Each structure stands twice: as structure tokens, then as C-alpha cells.
Amino acid sequence: MPRNETITELGLDEYKYGFVTEDQPVFKAVPGLSEDIVRQISHHKEEPDWMLEFRLKALEVYYSKPMPKWGGDLSKLEDTLDEIYFYLKPQDQMERSWDDVPQEIKDTFEKLGIPEAERKALAGVGAQYESEMVYHSLKEQWEEQGVIFESIEDGLAKHPELFRQYFSTVVPTHDNKFAALNSAVWSGGSFVYIPKGVKVEIPLQAYFRVNAERMGQFERTLIICEEGAEAHYIEGCTAPVYSTDSFHSGVIEIVVKKGARFRYTTIQNWSNNMYNLVTQRALVHEEAKMEWLDGNLGSKLTMKYPSCYLVGERAHGEILSIAYAGDGQHQDTGGKVIHAAPNTTSQITSKSISKGLGRSSYRGLCKVYDGAEGAKSNVECDALLLDETSRTDTYPYIEIDENTASIGHEATVSKVGDEQLFYLMSRGLDEAEAMAMIVRGFIEPVAKELPLEYAIELNRLIELEMEGSVG
Amino acid sequence: MSEPLLSIRGLRAKVDGEDGEILRGVDLDVQRGEVHALMGPNGSGKSTLAKVIAGHPAYEVTAGEILFEGEDVLELEPDERSRAGIFLAFQYPAEIPGVSIANFLRTAVNARLGEGEEMDVFGFQRTLTEKMEMLKMDPGFAARYVNDGFSGGEKKRNEILQMAVLRPALGVLDETDSGLDIDALKIVASGVNRLSEADEALGVLLITHYKRILNYIRPDRVHVMMAGRIAESGGASLADKLEAEGYDWLHRAVAAV
């Protein structure tokens, strides 16, 4: 096996987003969760009564559900949650121009390269800092075509009927303990509406930044993609490195109408003190296509299984997942495809890389309901272990109630072997280069699906040399 | 006579962590521009010798030396040996999924240049296309992932392609002929011959179990390996004798020593 120092040279563990910003929040709730906190959040957002009621009911559901016993180690989470700040309002109002965002927060996003990316290649950008979206903007061209890209709060305030029609219909409160928690304390996230037939050719992006210590971030995103529409939404997330744990629990709901196409890309690069427990689900109607591209590189523990509910005939769902688990990280990721209509098709491709004491688990569900005639699903999961101590597991769940369904499942585990390394080295590549090439080749099927700048970002993580100090 | 390209003296080696030497005192010189065939029965140590020359980490050299252009290479890592000009065409090349041949070879070519230097992309592409034509390879081949799902013949051709692009001073061909049908064998052999013609100083150590490939690549010297040593050396006619009489007479000769 390769030497440890070579693996370190790959720079996989380098984290360059760990810096902290000095700022002055306008409101910070006391740590811990209570009915009071939920009321404060709702009050600060000047919400209609029905939303406060929705939140309070969700809080009850949250309390009533036990902590999950599966997936990652959540035994210390309850203590952590007592210390977490559930709501932290960084500024008075959301801005539509970077010039109006407080300097220190703007600097943070400048460091993360967000305004630059917006100018170059994005249709719209949302930026969340702690609990609130501090910036949201959509290029005029798309606004004119009726595209809505707002903070979730503005979605509720400005488009109450549309909002209420879809909110919590894809991920109901009682779906799981953390969906219930998010329903009670949600804050920030995007509201996206793509009108019938509109094709937004360049991506919309939301960027999530946690800055404070012991912070809890609970964004909620609702996306409606009307008939024949097309769009691509990208989210990125980073946080400073603290010795205490932080918590992120988002809920993403997507409705993809007849013949529409939607792609949701995540590049999750939280610092390694973050619990990341997210529920992402899409309802995919007739002949529509939904793609999740899910990259999990950071966090302490991630439990996330993007789902496609294929409810219309010939709907197609695709989940491409890539996970990297280094020392102290557990990536419990995968995907769920639910075939509830005839001739629906799905593909899950999962790639994980584990190193040191890192652990990556593939957890997936393929369910075919009775009557979903001719449903086809294929699952491929490949794990790459970089050394002798890293660990990987596969938990594929398959439930088929339909005789005519066709299901494929393939799983491989490979180690970076001496023979591969020797082969590349015998052509003149040094050990670190050889290792990087093997890893890059392993993730190539996913990386080639990413927009160029994200593929570069992904590849940056497997660059040969350590860059300067972190943060 | 000038200093040999490759000079092996008293080389002994075993699998790291195991007892029992596989190489038990190998002596071998290859001059610049010469083609040497190394023959011998299965298990005689031919492939081990090839891997030890290239620096495979699974083997431990317990005695002797390998001089390449007069320099001791035993302390060099496999990549350093490669950049110095030693090339091993593998008997069983590893698969590298997700990495295209073009990308792989460009990285290998650039690894031979100085820090920060890169070969011009178009120049590289031209070289690659030309070498692929020489080996009668489909142009689409360069985009395929290294050895991933290749047939035996494709793997061997890919090895010779790499040798043609990397232009080593010494090519060690480990059973490049095994598993090839006659047409593929002719293409590979003519590829090696053209490399020899293009570079008169190129030394080749051709390891083979069968004489067949020697009908197409004419060796200057033939060696026979038995039980970890060179048991017999001679001209091209030695291969004919082995073909006609097998290895038995050598077994007896070695046993008599």
C-alpha cells in the first residue's frame, strides 16, 4: 500500500475555507431549542399565523420522534443540540446588490469567490449567512421570463398562494425527525419557480456559509419546475473550523412537472465539526427528468439520501453521488428512487473514497410499487479505499412489488493497489502523482457531469501538493 | 568496448518478507543498440528479473548490482528509473479506470520535463497519432481508459505504444508476445523493430517463453534462464536449439554443475 505521507501530500484533507469573520449580528437567540425560540423565529420573519402553527406542530413531531439508531453515530448529537444557536440573524434585511451587504459579510463571500462566479457564469445567486439569506439576485433576462428566484421568506411573503400550494407537500413534517426539526425552525433557503417551457440555460446558485461557533443552520428550499421547463440549481456550503460541533439540517423540496428537466447539484464542503443531516426529495411527473448530483466532501457526519419519487409515466430519476471520507469523517450517503408509475426509469451511481480513519457508507433504496409496469432501475456503487485503515459499507435496500420491473445492482470495492501504483510509477509519475491520477480516474464519471469550475474545484481537492496554511 | 547500457552483476532477489531467492546470481550485459532475448521455462525467474530491473516494491534485492548507463539504480524509485530511461512493458498491465491513454501518456511525458514545463498539446497529439498509426491502432483508442476492458492484444499493443511515445534507452519486454494471435504478434514485433531502427542506441531485453516472436524480432544474443541464473548464452541459433530440443538438456546440464 502507498505510504501515508504520500496520501497526505494529495491534499485531500486540506481545508481552505476554515476562516472566521468578525461580525455584528442583529439578533442572536439563546442556545438550545424551545417553543419560545420557534415563536421568535416566526416573529422576526413576520410570518402569517398558519406558518407559526405549522412550526409549532412540527416541533411537537420533532420531540415525539426518537433519535435514529441507524446511519452514523448520533449519540452525542442531543447534547450538541442543547448548545446550538438555532437562530442568528446577521443583518436587518436581505439585499439585492452586493454593495449593500455589510462589508465583513461581503468580504467573506468575496473570499469564497461568489460574486465573481455570479458575474461570470450564473443566472442568479443567493447567499445565506448564518440563519438568513443576506443577498439574492436574479439576472433581468430570467426575471422577464417570469422566473422567480427569491429567498424562501420572500417566496412566502410575495407569492403566498403558490408557496402554500407546494410547501411541505414533497417532504412532510413527519417524514423523519430532522425534517420535523427543520419544519419547526427553518430559516433561509431559496424559493424557485420556473414557468412553463422556460429553459434557464445557466445555473442558479445558492451559497451557504456558517460563521458563528455552535451554529445551527436550517435552510429550506422549495423549487417548482413547470411543464417543459428546464433549470440547474447549485448549492455550495462551507464553515469555519471550530473545536465544538455545529449542525446543519436542510430540507429541499422539488416538484418537476410533465416533461420538465431539473438538475440539483450540491458541493458540500463543510468543516469537519459539522453534523450534516439533510432531506432532499423531488416529485417527478410524467416524462420529466430529475438529476441529483451530490458531492459530499466535508462535514463530521453526513446523512443524506437525495430521492426521486417517480409518480408520472416514463419519469426518469438520476442520482450521481460522490463522497470523500477522511480522518474523523463519516459519509453516510446514497439515494432513493421510488417507482410509482409505469415505465419509469432510474439510475443511481455512487462513488466513495475513504482514507485513514474515514468511513463512507452507501445507503440506498429502490422501491417499485405494484402497477409500475416496466419500471427499470440500475444501481452502481463503487468504493475506493486509499489505505488499510479506511472503511466502507454498502446498505442497498430493494423492495419490488411489481413482476415486470427490472432491477440491476452492482457494487465494487477497490483499494489503490501496489500494482496500479507501480504501473504508473514505472512510466515516470512519482507516487503522489500516481495516487492522484488513480483517484481522479475513479471520480471521473461524476466529475465530467459537473460544470467546469466545479470539476476543477473537485479536482483541486486531489491536487498533488499541499497548498499554504489553512484558513 | 564502451560501458554497457545495462550491466547486472551477481543479482540475488526474493519476494519481500519471504524466504527463498528467486534470482540466484544473475549476470547479464546489454550493450546499446542490441536486442537480447531472455528465454527459459516457467518459474525460472525471467519475469522477476524484469520487475526487479524496473524497481517493483514487492521484491527485495539481497545481493549484487544493476548498473544502468554506469549508474547503480537499486536505490532509485521506479519513477526515477523510468525517467532515467528504463521502460518495462508489462506482462499483465494494471487497469486505471477513468484515466484516458492520452491523458496518462501526456502526464508521463511531462514528468520527464523540468518543473513547470509542459509539452505543447498539439505536438504531443501529433506524436501520439503517428505512433498509433505505426501500431495500426484506431485513433479512438487514445480516449479509452488505460487497459480498462482491453483484450489481451490491446493491452500489449498499448504497452508498445507507451514505449514508442516515451522513447526509453532500454526496453524490457516481459512476455509481450504471450496471448497474441499471429497478426497481433506481427504488428507488435514490427513496432519494436521500427523503434530499434529509429533509435540505433535502443537496447531491448525481450523476455519470452516461446521462440515464435524471435521469427520477427531477430536477437543479437539469446540467454536461457534456469532456476534464477543465466544458464546458457549464445547467438540467435541458441533459440533454434531450444525450439528443437526443449529445455531438458539444460536442466541436465544445470543439475550436473
Side-chain angles (χ1 to χ4, degrees):
Chain A
M1 294 307 289
R3 293 192 305 261
N4 279 335
E5 60 267 35
T6 301
I7 297 175
T8 308
E9 279 167 26
L10 289 177
L12 281 164
D13 296 318
E14 177 200 351
Y15 190 72
K16 72 171 186 184
Y17 307 113
F19 61 88
V20 181
T21 305
E22 295 290 330
D23 56 21
Q24 286 101 33
V26 297
F27 177 77
K28 191 172 189 176
V30 296
L33 179 63
S34 63
E35 190 184 315
D36 228 32
I37 298 281
V38 173
R39 287 181 184 279
Q40 280 175 23
I41 294 171
S42 189
H43 171 75
H44 273 276
K45 295 184 185 301
E46 299 170 11
E47 287 175 350
D49 290 344
W50 74 265
M51 185 52 81
L52 176 61
E53 278 163 35
F54 173 87
R55 287 178 183 274
L56 292 172
K57 253 184 222 155
L59 185 65
E60 278 173 36
V61 176
Y62 169 72
Y63 283 136
S64 72
K65 282 188 180 279
M67 204 49 104
K69 293 273 184 281
W70 51 273
D73 178 6
L74 298 173
S75 59
K76 294 195 184 93
L77 182 60
E78 243 148 339
D79 291 343
T80 300
L81 287 176
D82 289 340
E83 301 292 316
I84 288 282
Y85 293 96
F86 278 78
Y87 183 63
L88 203 168
K89 189 176 180 181
Q91 67 184 40
D92 275 327
Q93 58 183 28
M94 200 194 62
E95 302 299 346
R96 295 187 185 275
S97 158
W98 282 109
D99 293 339
D100 300 330
V101 174
Q103 190 64 38
E104 60 278 8
I105 297 178
K106 186 178 142 192
D107 288 349
T108 302
F109 286 106
E110 291 277 1
K111 272 196 205 177
L112 297 166
I114 309 305
E116 192 193 350
E118 176 183 10
R119 283 192 296 273
K120 276 189 189 160
L122 298 169
V125 163
Q128 177 155 352
Y129 190 83
E130 317 292 27
S131 297
E132 299 283 358
M133 283 279 173
V134 293
Y135 172 84
H136 234 280
S137 161
L138 177 68
K139 285 190 179 148
E140 220 169 273
Q141 162 189 14
W142 307 110
E143 218 167 77
E144 281 166 6
Q145 294 192 49
V147 174
I148 300 171
F149 180 60
E150 300 269 15
S151 72
I152 189 87
E153 287 83 1
D154 278 353
L156 172 58
K158 294 183 184 170
H159 313 279
E161 277 163 32
L162 196 57
F163 186 99
R164 206 169 172 175
Q165 187 185 344
Y166 293 100
F167 182 76
S168 194
T169 58
V170 185
V171 179
T173 298
H174 53 80
D175 187 78
N176 65 73
K177 187 170 177 72
F178 297 105
L181 178 60
N182 177 283
S183 299
V185 299
W186 67 263
S187 184
S190 300
F191 179 77
V192 182
Y193 181 81
I194 315 290
K196 189 171 172 178
V198 172
K199 294 177 170 60
V200 184
E201 288 129 4
I202 53 176
L204 300 163
Q205 176 172 307
Y207 200 92
F208 295 87
R209 177 70 179 175
V210 161
N211 183 60
E213 189 169 6
R214 290 186 280 132
M215 184 62 206
Q217 196 178 57
F218 303 93
E219 97 273 8
R220 180 101 189 189
T221 287
L222 177 58
I223 296 171
I224 301 127
C225 193
E226 285 287 359
E227 283 187 17
E230 286 180 21
H232 181 188
Y233 181 96
I234 302 176
E235 63 162 7
C237 7
T238 60
V241 179
Y242 290 113
S243 55
T244 53
D245 289 331
S246 294
F247 186 76
H248 172 256
S249 189
V251 167
I252 316 296
E253 301 181 274
I254 304 179
V255 180
V256 194
K257 298 274 189 75
K258 184 178 174 181
R261 290 180 67 145
F262 199 82
R263 173 180 269 200
Y264 191 104
T265 295
T266 302
I267 302 290
Q268 179 271 106
N269 199 4
W270 293 120
S271 50
N272 287 1
N273 54 319
M274 182 71 82
Y275 284 97
N276 183 46
L277 312 178
V278 176
T279 308
Q280 298 183 327
R281 189 173 300 161
L283 210 55
V284 192
H285 290 275
E286 194 179 335
E287 286 173 357
K289 184 177 178 185
M290 174 68 206
E291 292 171 288
W292 294 101
L293 223 150
D294 197 32
N296 291 294
L297 307 170
S299 84
K300 172 195 188 106
L301 168 66
T302 286
M303 289 171 66
K304 176 146 71 104
Y305 324 97
S307 313
C308 293
Y309 282 58
L310 307 171
V311 295
E313 209 166 330
R314 290 180 299 283
H316 179 73
E318 217 161 304
I319 299 155
L320 261 160
S321 163
I322 181 154
Y324 168 75
D327 275 340
Q329 287 186 277
H330 183 185
Q331 306 284 10
D332 198 279
T333 59
K336 295 197 262 185
V337 286
I338 315 295
H339 291 259
N343 300 311
T344 45
T345 52
S346 66
Q347 169 77 36
I348 299 179
T349 308
S350 160
K351 297 250 170 195
S352 72
I353 301 160
S354 311
K355 186 212 144 215
L357 299 174
R359 176 182 173 193
S360 56
S361 312
Y362 167 78
R363 194 178 297 276
L365 170 68
C366 172
K367 181 165 177 68
V368 181
Y369 280 97
D370 186 17
E373 287 167 17
K376 282 196 187 92
S377 178
N378 190 44
V379 178
E380 278 175 57
C381 44
D382 303 320
L384 182 68
L385 300 174
L386 294 191
D387 50 34
E388 299 289 349
T389 53
S390 49
R391 173 177 170 190
T392 183
D393 329 80
T394 308
Y395 306 96
Y397 300 90
I398 297 175
E399 299 168 14
I400 311 295
D401 300 326
E402 167 59 50
N403 290 332
T404 61
S406 136
I407 309 298
H409 177 90
E410 247 183 276
T412 67
V413 176
S414 44
K415 286 184 183 180
V416 172
D418 286 338
E419 292 306 321
Q420 278 181 316
L421 276 179
F422 176 60
Y423 186 68
L424 295 182
M425 288 176 75
S426 78
R427 300 305 184 240
L429 279 61
D430 67 32
E431 196 173 1
E433 248 178 321
M435 176 76 96
M437 182 166 267
I438 293 166
V439 173
R440 242 180 280 147
F442 178 76
I443 64 171
E444 166 66 14
V446 177
K448 74 176 179 200
E449 293 296 323
L450 286 172
L452 184 62
E453 60 274 22
Y454 288 87
I456 290 168
E457 170 67 10
L458 201 58
N459 275 320
R460 192 198 64 80
L461 288 158
I462 50 169
E463 266 170 18
L464 308 175
E465 309 268 319
M466 290 285 283
E467 282 172 21
S469 61
V470 174
Chain B
M1 194 148 128
S2 67
E3 156 196 284
L5 178 63
L6 175 73
S7 178
I8 298 173
R9 287 286 168 271
L11 186 69
R12 293 177 170 268
K14 62 186 189 69
V15 174
D16 200 13
E18 286 180 21
D19 296 331
E21 287 178 332
I22 303 171
L23 301 183
R24 307 196 307 188
V26 176
D27 295 298
L28 179 69
D29 279 349
V30 176
Q31 303 292 337
R32 287 181 178 77
E34 286 184 350
V35 176
H36 288 231
L38 180 65
M39 304 184 71
N42 286 330
S44 58
K46 303 186 301 285
S47 281
T48 298
L49 179 63
K51 288 180 196 164
V52 169
I53 292 171
H56 196 294
Y59 297 92
E60 186 194 340
V61 172
T62 51
E65 59 182 16
I66 301 176
L67 300 181
F68 177 70
E69 297 181 324
E71 303 286 333
D72 184 0
V73 297
L74 285 180
E75 291 305 313
L76 298 183
E77 294 291 325
D79 54 314
E80 295 170 312
R81 297 186 199 196
S82 166
R83 294 195 297 270
I86 295 174
F87 180 90
L88 171 63
F90 283 61
Q91 184 179 4
Y92 303 110
E95 297 180 4
I96 317 288
V99 177
S100 72
I101 289 176
N103 178 1
F104 167 49
L105 270 175
R106 199 172 60 235
T107 309
V109 167
N110 287 334
R112 282 157 173 73
L113 305 175
E115 188 80 24
E117 280 182 65
E118 269 191 28
M119 191 178 177
D120 148 66
V121 176
F122 297 106
F124 170 77
Q125 196 55 50
R126 247 192 330 271
T127 307
L128 185 60
T129 307
E130 178 192 311
K131 306 295 181 195
M132 285 173 60
E133 277 169 12
M134 177 185 91
L135 290 161
K136 299 195 166 55
M137 294 167 106
D138 184 274
F141 198 79
R144 288 179 65 185
Y145 295 155
V146 178
N147 295 320
D148 190 20
F150 283 19
S151 70
E154 286 172 330
K155 282 183 182 173
K156 297 301 172 69
R157 240 186 267 194
N158 184 28
E159 294 296 288
I160 302 305
L161 172 69
Q162 292 173 43
M163 181 169 155
V165 172
L166 298 178
R167 307 190 53 179
L170 173 71
V172 179
L173 276 51
D174 189 8
E175 306 218 7
T176 299
D177 54 333
S178 68
L180 294 186
D181 63 34
I182 192 69
D183 292 330
L185 181 75
K186 281 181 183 167
I187 292 166
V188 165
S190 103
V192 173
N193 287 333
R194 290 184 52 179
L195 293 181
S196 290
E197 287 157 20
D199 177 4
E200 286 182 359
L202 174 68
V204 175
L205 182 60
L206 186 67
I207 294 171
T208 178
H209 191 68
Y210 303 102
K211 190 188 160 265
R212 195 175 62 148
I213 192 169
L214 303 182
N215 296 333
Y216 304 99
I217 301 176
R218 208 57 195 157
D220 298 296
R221 299 281 294 162
V222 175
H223 312 274
V224 186
M225 204 160 178
M226 302 285 287
R229 314 182 55 161
I230 306 287
E232 185 81 20
S233 293
S237 60
L238 178 58
D240 300 326
K241 181 171 177 180
L242 288 170
E243 179 84 346
E245 302 178 22
Y247 291 108
D248 277 358
W249 62 277
L250 265 173
H251 276 295
R252 285 193 297 275
V254 169
V257 174

